[in-house]
Amino acid sequence: MDKNKEKLIRSLRNIPDFPIPGVQFKDVTTLFKDPECLQLLSDMMYEMYKDKGITKVIGIESRGFIMGPILATRLNAGFIPIRKPGKLPAEVIEESYSKEYGTDAIQIHKDALNENDVVVLHDDLLATGGTMKAACNLVRKLSPKKVYVNFIIELKELHGIDIFDKDTEVETILSI
Ligand code: AMP
């Protein structure tokens, strides 16, 4: 593995049994607090998307709100938040999705995108993929030209990547 990825993996903190027993929580705050790691993440994400004509970076609440705007400024793109219900002030559209226990929903402003936008959706971590799949469905309702998906970390053993259709290009920085 290249030395930059090794550095990121070494710097990622694992918290066993958080927030519930059995979960190995990947704590990305230890990447963000290290100036070298933060710069590496910014550079790696920029390299992935610099030639794709991205017009908007879309961050998923809340850990997608950290690297999302950093990537947006690197790409000279705009930044759009996807949020939990009741947080966005203007007119929204919504997508519901099932979680392990019950259902959840996410929203985006109705006027966030148009059909000329090329977007990349970003979140910190891919587990089952349920959240990001719902975000893709939500964003597609606004008919952007092209949708890319990005994560810092993919938990390989959960095979969350298989939930995405073939038209969706999914890129992750670290596959662990
Ligand atoms: P999922 O919809 O199952 O792919 O879950 C993804 C969302 O849950 C992301 O927003 C992650 O931040 C969070 N998440 C799920 N599992 C973990 C984990 N093991 N460590 C850190 N965050 C997680």
Side-chain angles (χ1 to χ4, degrees):
M1 191 192 296
D2 82 45
K3 67 175 186 5
N4 290 339
K5 289 191 179 180
E6 275 173 15
K7 159 86 183 157
L8 292 173
I9 286 174
R10 268 199 318 276
S11 304
L12 180 66
R13 176 160 58 189
N14 187 72
I15 315 270
D17 300 319
F18 181 88
I20 53 167
V23 174
Q24 299 290 324
F25 192 87
K26 306 300 172 200
D27 177 16
V28 285
T29 67
T30 51
L31 300 180
F32 301 150
K33 83 168 176 184
D34 180 324
E36 199 187 324
C37 288
L38 188 60
Q39 194 64 55
L40 277 175
L41 289 173
S42 170
D43 290 346
M44 287 163 127
M45 289 169 72
Y46 173 69
E47 286 301 319
M48 283 173 174
Y49 296 103
K50 65 179 182 187
D51 300 323
K52 308 265 199 231
I54 303 290
T55 57
K56 303 271 169 50
V57 178
I58 304 178
I60 317 286
E61 182 171 357
S62 60
R63 285 185 292 268
F65 292 177
I66 298 165
M67 292 312 299
I70 291 176
L71 178 62
T73 59
R74 297 283 309 263
L75 295 172
N76 292 316
F79 176 77
I80 310 282
I82 283 185
R83 299 208 64 183
K84 310 255 166 68
K87 302 285 186 187
L88 291 170
E91 207 179 336
V92 294
I93 56 165
E94 180 172 298
E95 177 81 13
S96 299
Y97 60 103
S98 34
K99 304 250 288 184
E100 204 175 344
Y101 304 106
T103 63
D104 221 332
I106 48 175
Q107 298 183 335
I108 192 169
H109 274 145
K110 209 171 179 177
D111 63 358
L113 301 176
N114 63 54
E115 63 274 12
N116 295 316
D117 278 314
V118 176
V119 306
V120 54
L121 281 98
H122 166 76
D123 202 358
D124 67 329
L125 184 135
L126 170 62
T128 65
T131 312
M132 187 57 93
K133 178 74 183 182
C136 285
N137 293 343
L138 180 67
V139 159
R140 288 217 167 89
K141 289 177 185 170
L142 297 174
S143 310
K145 214 193 281 178
K146 172 92 185 159
V147 177
Y148 295 92
V149 169
N150 173 269
F151 300 94
I152 301 173
I153 299 157
E154 172 195 0
L155 300 181
K156 263 189 305 203
E157 64 195 19
L158 295 180
H159 301 288
I161 198 123
D162 298 340
I163 206 174
F164 298 99
D165 56 48
K166 293 203 169 55
D167 296 343
T168 311
E169 279 184 46
V170 183
E171 297 242 46
T172 59
I173 296 172
L174 304 174
S175 193
I176 58 176

